[in-house]
Amino acid sequence: MSERKKVILSEAEMPTHWYNINADLPAAGVELPPPLHPGTGQPIGPNDLAPLFPMSLILQEVSAERYIEIPQPVQEVYRMWRPTPLVRAHEWERALETPARIYYKYEGVSPSGSHKPNTAVAQAYYNKEEGVTRLATETGAGQWGSALSFACQVFGLECKVYMVRVSYEQKPYRKVMMQTWGAEVVPSPSPDTNAGRQILAESPDSTGSLGIAISEAVEDAATRDDTKYSLGSVLNHVLLHQTVIGQEVIAGLEAFAEDWPDVLIGCTGGGSNFAGFAFPFLKENISGGRSARIVAVEPAAAPSLTRGVYTYDFGDTAQMTPLIKMHTLGHDFVPAPIHAGGLRYHGMSAQVSALQASGLIEAVSVQQRAIFEAALSFASAEGILPAPEPAHAIWGAMQEALACRESGESKVIVFNMCGHGHFDLAAYEQHLADNLEDFDYPEEAIRASLQKVPSV
Amino acid sequence: MSERKKVILSEAEMPTHWYNINADLPAAGVELPPPLHPGTGQPIGPNDLAPLFPMSLILQEVSAERYIEIPQPVQEVYRMWRPTPLVRAHEWERALETPARIYYKYEGVSPSGSHKPNTAVAQAYYNKEEGVTRLATETGAGQWGSALSFACQVFGLECKVYMVRVSYEQKPYRKVMMQTWGAEVVPSPSPDTNAGRQILAESPDSTGSLGIAISEAVEDAATRDDTKYSLGSVLNHVLLHQTVIGQEVIAGLEAFAEDWPDVLIGCTGGGSNFAGFAFPFLKENISGGRSARIVAVEPAAAPSLTRGVYTYDFGDTAQMTPLIKMHTLGHDFVPAPIHAGGLRYHGMSAQVSALQASGLIEAVSVQQRAIFEAALSFASAEGILPAPEPAHAIWGAMQEALACRESGESKVIVFNMCGHGHFDLAAYEQHLADNLEDFDYPEEAIRASLQKVPSV
């Protein structure tokens, strides 16, 4: 019998609790400044968020409990696809001629094809429990909208998705996927909200943006009693729900009889897949038990961690959200149109930002063409076509593996392969035809954008 | 802890042998008439097939051994995605309000998204072992071409795929998937073969057909020393390689503590996913040990088992293949353009045909709109979007489950969910817009087509 290729835990071995890093930040000397009200500049309380979120999620947002139990109905839905595989990349190691041992967690086996349902299911459940019958959200390329559509159908909630118009027209399959799960999907800007109507009046041909779509979904939720808003990344309760990933990785590495990884790598947009993967390991770094380097890889087209500043800023373009202390490029920074749509965000979650500011994690940025090269190298060897977002993590893992080839070290490298690329083949086609562009920003462009950041 | 949702066997529990039903047909009183040479009408021998296939596959084609060992390198590649999940469809049972216990085997977790790599990997391996450096094949919608492209890349073979032109243009993502795995993909008819050039000379705008693409791939293989031909269904060695599916189902049901299924359901086009799923159970039916009903579901647009005749006919339109005794609609019958492209075949594998003729399996046919209704019902409950091909099996399982609701029986129903529908969302979109057509053939159309069947 040759070497083991993958570990899929049994359902009985699934995590029963989410891990909340807020509990351990003080021990690490990491301060987490409170979100501020966009109008008053004062710290916000739970009631300020009540029009948008159910109270159970608001309380998770500010909880200091280390472990929060996963409700049984949520665990049951997780078991439709969880535990997900932890795979040893034997073939890719051979192709890279590296002595490193490379592992990847594969979240693409979920119904919508990424890690997003981990939080979508939890959010739909808590909303249902509090009597909400309808959720509104925005989506760019469609990963988050698909996940929430699925989750809403599971719990019998209505779901309205405002999909950025350019994606609605260019990626019709994601829209159809949402519709098969019963969601109502409209291109944003839409005539269904004041925000949408206003923009359509000014520019009838607007292709939309994530900022506009957020404004529409928030307005929808705020103006209807039966409806709350749902967000797919950035907030602590979202990061929290994703920690089933990292906990499963730890158990999977044990089953592989690996001691502890040397380096962990995830891609970062708003921070949720990175956090869900890395935070259970960070807990060990903080407690001084076992330690690993933790690397966030972000696109050069949205370099909040590597080129932004750590300061209070709005989460959206329209300045409707609370002010959050985070790494930001400025709230009206519009990232270049790279294919990794899930990483095109001007800011970063507060937790990931605070950890980066404290030197507890590392961050690098990479250009689009390099990540597709890495994705092809991985797909050739491992047979799985990655989405452009996890291709950033793949690129990061590849750099570490190639460094091991130079040094002869047999490091253990683990990365989060957070979704498949079945809906991204147009991007692969462009890459194969050498038609993809890299994007860079001169220093003065970033400086100009950062001047819009409010002074608190 | 609530009821178990799924079983994924460990890699150590994977089948080590393929099951060859030829060994058990005599005990069942099932005769399997030999293939005949298309020119002489005499039974063909191994040497007649040598220009197209490596000798190890030719010997598997005629083997009477009950179990054939799976080579270690093939087992290793299988472990990239195998064992696949066996899932208890709790949610769908609840939605259907049935007392039946429904299970499905999910083959969509493979690299190309269906059961096809089970044989593609084996075929690439045996070709490689015999010094072949290049494989040629045809593909319709692209499932088989994707699987063989993947397998060829794993073993370092070149791969040339002749893809039916209408699909090449309408489903570009499948083409890109093959290219990312290094295959050369051309629209068929192509200028690369005599067969293709001849058709292009007569009809430059030909949209192609599976029959034409087969002719091109066979000519390519027959005229090049470095190249063999590879087929994705119909032949015994292909069916054989798929029996890992049924063997895993048996082990999975044991892990669920189920006694034995009452009814097994698979879709049929050429017969390979049905055979791979059902034959390990048929072995028990034949030996008189345990027994289950076995149902093949085919499209009303290609009803070989339900409306064809059991007689010798060609496997291809151009009459180049051996004559096989099988259920056929006539070798130049062109099935209506349903979305289940993988089931659009005029004939049926010899083994499946002989079993049907002997009454050891049942067959039903169903229209396209009904299978999409069933697929939506399944996807809503189970979160997995099925391809149109397994949607036929889903429809069959649904009929059994609804019958149980009427009768109150708690039967065990198992079906093969042989692939996901991530590349079929245009079909779902048409279905949601109520734009799908059903197809039926008047009796005289079938009779006319059958008159072309040669008399042997």
Side-chain angles (χ1 to χ4, degrees), chain A residues 5 62-63 136 156 200 230 245 264 268 275 288 296 313 345 396 403 411 418 426:
Chain A
K5 175 75 184 162
V62 296
S63 170
L200 286 174
S230 181
I245 302 173
L264 295 152
T268 42
D313 198 3
Y345 187 59
K411 287 188 183 171
C418 65

Side-chain angles (χ1 to χ4, degrees), chain B residues 39-224:
Chain B
T40 66
Q42 295 302 305
I44 56 168
N47 288 337
D48 293 314
L49 295 171
L52 295 185
F53 301 106
M55 197 45 69
S56 43
L57 292 177
I58 295 171
L59 295 178
Q60 287 183 1
E61 194 60 27
V62 297
S63 170
E65 291 289 316
R66 182 168 288 110
Y67 289 103
I68 294 175
E69 189 169 5
I70 308 173
Q72 277 299 329
V74 174
Q75 291 193 43
E76 271 194 47
V77 181
Y78 279 177
R79 288 191 286 135
M80 291 170 77
W81 72 95
R82 304 206 72 83
T84 60
L86 179 70
V87 188
R88 171 82 185 268
H90 290 299
E91 283 75 11
W92 198 36
E93 292 169 17
R94 278 193 278 274
L96 296 176
E97 297 175 353
T98 179
R101 301 198 293 286
I102 309 177
Y103 295 86
Y104 58 95
K105 182 69 168 169
Y106 184 40
E107 290 287 306
V109 296
S110 83
S112 61
S114 80
H115 65 294
K116 292 287 186 192
N118 295 331
T119 185
V121 168
Q123 292 188 43
Y125 167 78
Y126 285 116
N127 274 287
K128 169 87 171 181
E129 283 295 289
E130 296 190 23
V132 177
T133 59
R134 184 172 170 278
L135 289 179
T137 198
E138 73 288 334
T139 199
Q143 275 285 12
W144 169 244
S146 309
L148 194 68
S149 302
F150 159 70
C152 283
Q153 181 158 72
V154 167
F155 289 108
L157 301 177
E158 287 179 62
C159 184
K160 172 89 173 251
V161 182
Y162 295 87
M163 185 173 188
V164 176
R165 183 183 293 274
V166 61
S167 296
Y168 183 91
E169 284 163 4
Q170 286 179 354
K171 302 199 176 184
Y173 290 173
R174 275 283 174 200
K175 171 194 69 187
V176 180
M177 191 177 216
M178 294 182 246
Q179 289 169 336
T180 59
W181 283 320
E184 183 189 353
V185 190
V186 292
S188 166
S190 80
D192 301 0
T193 65
N194 286 327
R197 282 187 291 270
Q198 195 172 327
I199 289 166
L200 286 174
E202 291 162 12
S203 359
D205 297 330
S206 167
T207 54
S209 75
L210 213 44
I212 295 168
I214 292 177
S215 302
E216 290 206 90
V218 166
E219 178 187 326
D220 182 318
T223 54
R224 283 182 62 152

Side-chain angles (χ1 to χ4, degrees), chain A residues 4-5 29 50 97 161 196 341 355 386 401 426:
Chain A
R4 186 164 190 172
K5 175 75 184 162
E97 298 176 352
V161 181
L355 288 161

Side-chain angles (χ1 to χ4, degrees), chain B residues 33 298 302-314 324-333 345-350 352-354 356-358 363 443 445-456:
Chain B
E298 62 182 14
S304 59
L305 287 172
T306 52
R307 301 185 69 187
V309 293
Y310 182 49
T311 185
Y312 272 103
D313 198 3
F314 297 101
I324 297 171
K325 186 154 184 192
M326 61 177 175
H327 282 81
T328 178
L329 296 158
H331 56 268
D332 58 4
F333 183 89
Y345 188 59
H346 71 274
M348 185 53 62
S349 94
V352 173
S353 293
Q356 157 81 349
S358 304
E443 205 48 50
I446 303 241
R447 255 203 311 276
S449 173
L450 287 172
Q451 278 171 357
K452 310 267 186 65
V453 171
S455 51
V456 176

